[in-house]
Amino acid sequence: MSQELDLSLATRPNNTAAVPAILDEFNSLYSTLETGGEATRHALVLKARSLLHALQSPREQMIQHTWADPGLNAAIITGVDVGLFKLMVKNGVDTPQKVSNLAGPLGVDPVLLGRLMRHICAMGHLVETGPDEYKPTNFSKSLSLDVISAGYSALLGGIGRSPIEFNKFLRDTNYQNPVDAAHTAMHSAYNTDLPNCFEYLRSVGLGPQTNNHMGGYRQGRLPWSHPEIYPVAETLFAGADPSPDAPLVVDVAGGLGHDINEFKALYPNHPGKLILQDLPVVINDVKGIDPSIELMSHDFLTEQPVKGARAYFMHSILHDWPDDVCTQILSRLADAMKPGYSKLLIFECVIARTGAHWEATAGDILMMTQLSALERTEDHWHKLIEGSGLNLKITKFWKCARPDVENVIECELA
């Protein structure tokens, strides 16, 4: 027999009984923040979220999800688009600024700008210093940086309808798990026949913002080559061909070169040479990386031109594709690898079987709604790499203590 819920449940706090224990745990964690570093800070963020959820009512959560958060996104995307946050930083990061003084240089109706900034403030991202007068927080200051603001322009402004209309896509596909890269919720939401969301974003002029976001979302994370994650000297340098022309690391689809440039900075005296590969439209935008890094145009679905490298590296590439396309990508790399010498290093999220981290699950939904792709569990990685007839094997998952940092999945020829 079904049971009807009393509507009053939606207007009461979710779990006030849990508050004392959450506060005790929060205070205990906070006392170790200086020594615990980023891992402790991440744990504190989760506890703070638990506290908020315990105190909020379901009704308040519903209003936040359906009114406040979409409204905030609309305000931030517009602010990024017109240059609001860059102007505020230019005017002085700690200077109170009036809406009327900002509206003119931005070319925005002051009434409109005031309404947008009022909501950004109400959501905690500006500090109110008077009527229609604000100064930025650290977050809104950071929106003046392209690598931070670009995600709002690209993911929300460019392809934000895909997750919102995902239910319609699922309705039309009988609620099947999406696995077709040529038929995604993005294709449906934007009525496009372009190959994927990256091509679509480039077609609407958001290619640079997409590239910036690729560099922005990984800010603050340890690079794959950091000794806390992967022992580069022991696993790559030892036994490597010392010839200056011998390829040491090929960064496949490496975007604007953030990873390979960090590698160069960490290991300036590395043996061999470093190579950055991506599509011509991306390689043409590469700027400011070490000049010794070779730039090479390459499509990873075609034959890998660099044979026998010590390591082929991919960061957050395979999560963009369902298994059938990943198998094609991996086969090209396996064909280029030298038995007993070459390694394939995949730096990707590995979703925990239980207690999955929110960035991992968010990434999984993002991949599903935009690309019919996914973030993978350890079991799924074994199935993809070792169960697809690729002659590859996983030798180790190199893990970081921080839950938001990807694993290095080290592979060799079987």
Side-chain angles (χ1 to χ4, degrees), residues 79 83 188 200 331:
S188 177
Y200 175 77
S331 69

Side-chain angles (χ1 to χ4, degrees), residues 373-393:
L374 69 160
E375 303 288 4
R376 294 172 170 88
T377 63
E378 192 169 310
D379 292 336
H380 199 152
W381 280 114
H382 277 289
K383 179 182 176 183
L384 173 65
I385 293 169
E386 299 172 340
S388 302
L390 294 170
N391 195 34
L392 289 169
K393 64 179 180 181

Side-chain angles (χ1 to χ4, degrees), residues 365-377:
I365 301 300
L366 178 65
M367 296 303 107
M368 178 167 57
T369 57
Q370 302 294 358
L371 294 155
S372 290
L374 69 160
E375 303 288 4
R376 294 172 170 88
T377 63

Side-chain angles (χ1 to χ4, degrees), residues 168-188:
K168 299 176 184 177
F169 171 79
L170 291 178
R171 193 185 307 151
D172 292 339
T173 57
N174 295 316
Y175 298 95
Q176 298 300 301
N177 184 52
V179 294
D180 185 352
H183 184 214
T184 71
M186 188 280 301
H187 288 104
S188 177

Side-chain angles (χ1 to χ4, degrees), residues 232-242 246 248 271 310 338 340-342:
V232 168
E234 295 89 336
T235 57
L236 295 188
F237 295 172
D241 185 338
L248 178 73
R310 183 64 165 142
K338 180 180 178 180
Y341 180 77
S342 297

Side-chain angles (χ1 to χ4, degrees), residues 143-214:
L143 289 173
S144 68
L145 304 172
D146 291 340
V147 293
I148 301 300
S149 65
Y152 292 89
S153 302
L155 293 189
L156 294 179
I159 50 176
R161 288 206 306 266
S162 306
I164 293 172
E165 298 184 5
F166 187 50
N167 67 307
K168 299 176 184 177
F169 171 79
L170 291 178
R171 193 185 307 151
D172 292 339
T173 57
N174 295 316
Y175 298 95
Q176 298 300 301
N177 184 52
V179 294
D180 185 352
H183 184 214
T184 71
M186 188 280 301
H187 288 104
S188 177
Y190 290 92
N191 191 29
T192 179
D193 57 3
L194 289 170
N196 52 58
C197 65
F198 303 109
E199 293 293 335
Y200 175 77
L201 286 165
R202 279 193 281 269
S203 77
V204 295
L206 290 171
Q209 289 86 342
T210 304
N211 291 336
N212 276 320
H213 177 64
M214 294 301 104

